[in-house]
Amino acid sequence: PSDLLLIHLNGNYREEIVSYGGVSMSPFIIGPDRIGWAYFTHYHFINQYRSVAASQPSQAAYLASLKEQLDKGETQERDRRIANEDMSIHLETLIYLKVWESDFVLKRFYEFVRVLQEEPYDWYFKIAESSRDTTATGVTHEIIRKKIRDKLKDISPVLFEAFSVIYKSQIRNSVAHSNFSLQGRHLQLNNYQAADPASQLHAITYEDWADIFHTTLMLYNMMIGLDHRIQAHYGAVAEQQGNEVNILIRDVRNGGSEYEVPLTYRAEFKDYHFKQK
């Protein structure tokens, strides 16, 4: 019952703090941790874009106005607007990376899918930093495709389709390495490989990019909304229980033991900390 709360609290295993400064400590922690603070930093950038983009005209209206300007011979204004559109594509590719390269975002989706599959919360989630990382959950593209997207197929075809639309490793790699160009309302991808089934795109239209980017932001928004709902639900539960709620720790690396730990809830701050003994 506490696994959704652990998604909100970012339950994490940090072996290096077992003996910190000569004090024996539990390696099971809650809180933003480094990946959470990185997420919040980039959230502020993404949220500025969301706030501005929400007030812009639709793509259909934009294209109609471009045609009208061309018909009227207003080429200077048309060229200015095309340059602005290209700049927005650059911003969107940056945001796309900030979402799908974020350990925190991927962890939340990964843990939520585990809940949907009635699997226990994974305290040990970690994205591989190198090929020698033997304790990692997996590399980024494998986690997105195999541990999130594919596991949604039988649970939620809508979410499965959304992840299928937005995540293509060729596009991510092209954007990550600035290996693309903007030409004729297309993203020309320079990493096409005839022998690689995952790199078969020569280019994508701005319209196709809009679907990819907007679906990314939609899922990002839903992730934020889910977190708010979890926070509100467990806050109400804690207040009904004397501002206390238990979480379950599964210590699978040390004999597989399971035990509950109480948390104290502070309603004025809407936060939790381990109950003092």
Side-chain angles (χ1 to χ4, degrees):
S2 65
D3 282 358
L4 275 174
L5 178 60
L6 287 173
I7 295 176
H8 170 65
L9 297 177
N10 190 40
N12 193 17
Y13 179 85
R14 292 282 296 278
E15 188 173 11
E16 64 269 28
I17 69 170
V18 171
S19 180
Y20 183 78
V23 178
S24 179
M25 301 175 66
S26 170
F28 296 95
I29 63 173
I30 59 174
D33 203 24
R34 289 171 295 190
I35 65 171
W37 289 118
Y39 163 78
F40 294 134
T41 295
H42 298 288
Y43 163 80
H44 291 302
F45 176 84
I46 296 172
N47 193 47
Q48 285 191 358
Y49 180 91
R50 292 196 307 163
S51 301
V52 172
S55 63
Q56 300 304 305
S58 69
Q59 187 178 69
Y62 167 77
L63 292 175
S65 67
L66 278 186
K67 183 179 184 304
E68 182 180 357
Q69 288 171 337
L70 181 61
D71 292 342
K72 292 180 179 179
E74 299 173 353
T75 56
Q76 186 173 358
E77 175 62 16
R78 181 206 61 185
D79 291 346
R80 184 190 68 82
R81 295 184 67 183
I82 290 175
N84 286 342
E85 182 182 31
D86 287 348
M87 180 60 69
S88 76
I89 298 292
H90 281 292
L91 286 172
E92 289 165 4
T93 58
L94 179 58
I95 291 171
Y96 182 81
L97 282 185
K98 287 181 179 291
V99 173
W100 300 120
E101 294 286 345
S102 168
D103 289 9
F104 191 80
V105 170
L106 298 187
K107 180 178 181 180
R108 284 209 155 159
F109 282 127
Y110 166 82
E111 298 287 9
F112 181 55
V113 170
R114 287 182 68 87
V115 169
L116 294 178
Q117 289 198 303
E118 299 183 9
E119 295 178 352
Y121 183 85
D122 183 2
W123 284 87
Y124 304 93
F125 175 86
K126 180 185 176 186
I127 295 178
E129 297 177 353
S130 72
S131 59
R132 297 182 298 275
D133 194 345
T134 59
T135 62
T137 308
V139 296
T140 297
H141 70 89
E142 289 179 344
I143 290 172
I144 295 175
R145 292 187 295 106
K146 297 180 180 180
K147 298 183 182 293
I148 299 175
R149 184 197 66 186
D150 291 354
K151 290 190 175 185
L152 286 167
K153 189 171 186 178
D154 295 330
I155 299 174
S156 173
V158 172
L159 280 177
F160 172 77
E161 177 63 22
F163 275 96
S164 299
V165 166
I166 60 178
Y167 186 76
K168 294 178 173 59
S169 57
Q170 182 188 355
I171 295 176
R172 193 202 77 178
N173 293 336
S174 180
V175 170
H177 296 282
S178 299
N179 196 19
F180 67 91
S181 59
L182 304 180
Q183 300 180 45
R185 292 187 53 77
H186 283 73
L187 276 79
Q188 304 286 343
L189 306 178
N190 296 342
N191 58 351
Y192 166 82
Q193 296 289 334
D196 184 356
S199 299
Q200 295 296 298
L201 295 172
H202 289 282
I204 55 175
T205 66
Y206 279 11
E207 287 73 21
D208 286 341
W209 169 252
D211 287 341
I212 291 170
F213 181 70
H214 291 166
T215 306
T216 292
L217 277 193
M218 180 181 68
L219 286 173
Y220 187 81
N221 290 343
M222 291 174 67
M223 180 196 71
I224 295 171
L226 173 67
D227 186 57
H228 290 166
R229 293 174 66 183
I230 293 172
Q231 181 186 59
H233 172 75
Y234 281 96
V237 169
E239 289 180 1
Q240 293 172 2
Q241 299 177 167
N243 289 324
E244 188 172 300
V245 63
N246 289 336
I247 58 172
L248 182 64
I249 291 179
R250 297 175 175 87
D251 194 357
V252 299
R253 292 187 181 176
N254 295 290
S257 61
E258 295 186 358
Y259 52 93
E260 288 190 337
V261 176
L263 301 179
T264 299
Y265 176 67
R266 299 189 301 177
E268 63 272 29
F269 299 107
K270 297 182 179 180
D271 67 359
Y272 299 80
H273 59 82
F274 288 107
K275 185 177 180 179
Q276 299 296 317
K277 295 182 180 179

